[in-house]
Amino acid sequence: MPQTGEDLANQALSAVSADTAAELAQSEKIAETLTALQGVIEHNARELQDLSAKLKEKREMLKNQLDNNVEISEAEAEVKQVSDKLKQARAKAGNSQEVVDLKLQIAELNQSKKEIEETLSSHLINYHQLTGSTSFDTSDGDQWEFSINARVKAKKS
C-alpha cells in the first residue's frame, strides 16, 4: 500500500523526535556529570579549608609550646646576653686608635681605587671608540679583556 502524505509526515516527526530524545538524553547526562563534578569540587574545597584551619591551629599550638618552654626561654636570654656582650666588645675594640687608623686608611684606599677605576673606565671607553676592541695588550705581552657597561642613574627630582 502506498504511503500517504500523512504517513510520511508522521514518519518524519518520529525521526525528528527520536533525534531530539537522543539529544535530550545526552544533555541530561552532561548535566548529571557536571552536577556530580561540582559536588566533588565543593567537597574537596571544604576539606581543604578544614585542613588549613587545623594546620593553623596546630602551628599556633606548637608556637605556644615553644614560646612557653622554660629551657628555650633561658637559652634565648643567654644568647641575648652573649650577643650584647659581643656588641660591647666590638664597640670597645672599634674605638681603639689602631682600628680608627685602619678604618681611615681603608677609606683612603677605597677613594683612590674609585678614582682610578673612573679614570680607567674613561680611557677604556676612548680606546674602544678608537679601536672597536674590548681587549688591550700590555707591555709584557699579556692581553687583558674589558667590558663596557652602561648604567641608568636615578632620576633627579
Side-chain angles (χ1 to χ4, degrees):
M1 150 177 244
Q3 290 185 339
T4 64
E6 190 175 322
D7 291 337
L8 289 172
N10 284 335
Q11 220 174 18
L13 278 176
S14 52
V16 168
S17 63
D19 289 344
T20 305
E23 286 178 12
L24 183 61
Q26 189 176 7
S27 291
E28 287 176 1
K29 186 175 180 180
I30 290 173
E32 288 174 8
T33 302
L34 186 58
T35 302
L37 182 59
Q38 286 174 331
V40 169
I41 290 170
E42 182 180 349
H43 172 75
N44 286 336
R46 289 187 191 280
E47 192 172 339
L48 182 62
Q49 195 175 31
D50 292 344
L51 286 173
S52 293
K54 286 178 184 175
L55 273 169
K56 183 178 179 183
E57 179 184 339
K58 296 297 180 185
R59 284 185 181 123
E60 286 178 17
M61 291 171 65
L62 175 62
K63 183 183 179 302
N64 288 339
Q65 285 290 322
L66 296 176
D67 288 347
N68 294 328
N69 186 298
V70 174
E71 199 173 332
I72 292 174
S73 297
E74 289 173 357
E76 286 175 341
E78 287 176 31
V79 167
K80 185 179 181 335
Q81 190 176 19
V82 171
S83 176
D84 289 345
K85 189 175 180 180
L86 177 63
K87 287 178 188 175
Q88 290 172 355
R90 283 184 190 256
K92 184 178 177 183
N95 291 332
S96 74
Q97 190 59 44
E98 280 183 66
V99 171
V100 170
D101 290 344
L102 285 171
K103 285 181 180 179
L104 285 173
Q105 291 170 6
I106 289 171
E108 289 172 3
L109 289 172
N110 276 330
Q111 183 62 35
S112 295
K113 179 183 173 194
K114 183 178 178 183
E115 290 171 3
I116 291 172
E117 285 174 340
E118 289 173 358
T119 302
L120 180 60
S121 178
S122 176
H123 292 308
L124 288 172
I125 289 171
N126 289 337
Y127 179 83
H128 177 70
Q129 288 172 340
L130 291 172
T131 65
S133 175
T134 56
S135 64
F136 63 92
D137 297 325
T138 63
S139 57
D140 58 358
D142 287 340
Q143 189 175 46
W144 290 14
E145 292 188 20
F146 62 93
S147 61
I148 307 287
N149 294 322
R151 287 184 301 223
V152 176
K153 294 186 178 181
K155 182 179 172 183
K156 293 183 179 178
S157 301

